[in-house]
Amino acid sequence: MNQRARTLTALSLSAAALLSVAVAATTSVRFFINGRAAANAISVNGTTYVPVSALKAAGLNVTTAAGRVDLNLPAGGQNQVAAVSGCLGETLFNGVWRFRVTDVRAVPSTYNNRPGFEITAELRNATGQSLDLTGTGFGLTNVNLAFADGTTTTVESVAQNRDGWDHNRAVMPAGAYAMRAQVPGSGTPTKLVYLRAGNVKAGLPWNTPDPAFRVDLTCRK
């Protein structure tokens, strides 16, 4: 083998070795948004790269043009709060309360027969002590429905039953509020947002900076 052939062979082997190292250093990473699987990310030499489609799914406004990527956070508002998120029928957990919305259905308002919706849900005490919602920073009027046209509406009444939505009633460990409440409005509800009404009670095992709940009504689990 002449010198040129030996040089070309050496370069080819070196390139193949470098390619092998690069491939070995690139791995697929499973990517989740609020517990729901999204497009996979990749990790290259210890740095994780997330696809633009996943950023859009997370609620970011993303534009790409002329070799540039622009990320814009959505405007503030009760539908963009940081919250424990999930689907209709899914149990959500903020470290203290387990929250599950089982149904949101159109019913006339019991006040004046105008269009509205009835929410059926449950909140269960997941701690080892007796708690009430008001004392942990949650209130009735902070339950909202968001609609496809961007409008929102707030709970106006609760079912007249023993459980109702009495936020001052103490709930024992593993006990629950059986909830039924009405909100006025018409259209297609897309989200239910349960915001905290005030400062959350300290000393409880909250597992998120903002223990609010957001339920995507377009999916069910």
Side-chain angles (χ1 to χ4, degrees), residues 30-48:
R30 298 185 68 192
F31 186 67
F32 295 82
I33 300 172
N34 293 323
R36 299 174 66 184
N40 281 358
I42 61 170
S43 177
V44 180
N45 296 326
T47 300
T48 301

Side-chain angles (χ1 to χ4, degrees), residues 73-80:
L73 294 175
Q78 57 196 16
N79 297 322
Q80 286 82 38

Side-chain angles (χ1 to χ4, degrees), residues 130-206:
S130 176
L131 295 173
D132 65 87
L133 286 170
T134 300
T136 57
F138 288 86
L140 171 62
T141 58
N142 288 75
V143 178
N144 303 272
L145 280 186
F147 294 85
D149 62 2
T151 60
T152 60
T153 188
T154 302
V155 165
E156 66 177 359
S157 68
V158 296
Q160 300 301 312
N161 57 46
R162 184 165 297 180
D163 286 330
W165 231 340
D166 179 4
H167 284 57
N168 296 311
R169 180 172 63 84
V171 177
M172 299 299 291
Y177 287 101
M179 301 180 172
R180 204 153 50 101
Q182 290 187 343
V183 296
S186 59
T188 303
T190 57
K191 290 184 178 67
L192 182 148
V193 185
Y194 191 1
L195 300 172
R196 56 188 175 86
N199 294 328
V200 296
K201 184 177 179 180
L204 294 176
W206 306 106

